[in-house]
Amino acid sequence: MDSIEHMDLSEVLTLFDSSTLSELEISCSSFSLKLKRPVVGEPVKAMKQSVQETQVKPTPATADNTEELEIITSPIVGTFYLTPAPDAPPYVQVGSKVKRGQVLCTIEAMKLMNQLECEYSCEIVEILAKPEQLVEFGQPLFKVKKL
């Protein structure tokens, strides 16, 4: 087999995907890579990892813009999708009122489609990630107002 430094990233992902490893960390002179699978027994389709929430300072307060907004971040690294299929309508859009447990988006990681469910009722104020783009762990995806 080629040395790690000369392997294509897709080869590394394929090897990890077909292995039984739960974690893999590779470091060499040209790159560093860390892969981790969901915990055994955790549902993949409805990834219920706790969504990191951080307070966002509201824009300069006006009489009707005083409520604080929340940020919903990505629980994993993967490709961000707002629709369940290319020809389907989006799960949510700006102005959507979302109930607890409702799907917000899908994040594809290692050929697995992970649906991100909302942890609380809210209204979508802004969609911060671009569809079909790679998102990082902890990257802000949605700006919301709790209901």
Side-chain angles (χ1 to χ4, degrees), residues 7 25 29 37 40 65 102 114-115 122 133 139 143:
M7 288 183 76
E25 188 167 349
S29 60
R37 292 185 199 276
V40 174
N65 189 20
Q102 186 175 334
N114 303 284
Q115 293 181 330
C122 63
Q133 296 295 312
Q139 179 177 334
K143 190 181 293 187

Side-chain angles (χ1 to χ4, degrees), residues 49-64:
Q49 295 180 356
S50 62
V51 176
Q52 294 182 354
E53 303 167 15
T54 55
Q55 295 292 322
V56 173
K57 302 275 186 211
T59 53
T62 60
D64 57 349

Side-chain angles (χ1 to χ4, degrees), residues 72-138:
I72 296 176
T73 61
S74 178
I76 57 175
V77 174
T79 304
F80 175 78
Y81 295 100
L82 273 173
T83 62
D87 57 344
Y91 292 111
V92 296
Q93 53 195 357
V94 173
S96 295
K97 293 195 184 331
V98 181
K99 294 182 180 172
R100 182 173 192 249
Q102 186 175 334
V103 176
L104 296 170
C105 65
T106 299
I107 300 175
E108 178 184 8
M110 296 188 311
K111 300 179 187 173
L112 298 174
M113 304 305 271
N114 303 284
Q115 293 181 330
L116 178 63
E117 295 179 354
C118 196
E119 296 289 318
Y120 48 83
S121 295
C122 63
E123 179 179 344
I124 305 296
V125 174
E126 187 177 351
I127 299 172
L128 304 170
K130 294 186 180 183
E132 300 179 26
Q133 296 295 312
L134 181 68
V135 293
E136 299 292 329
F137 171 78

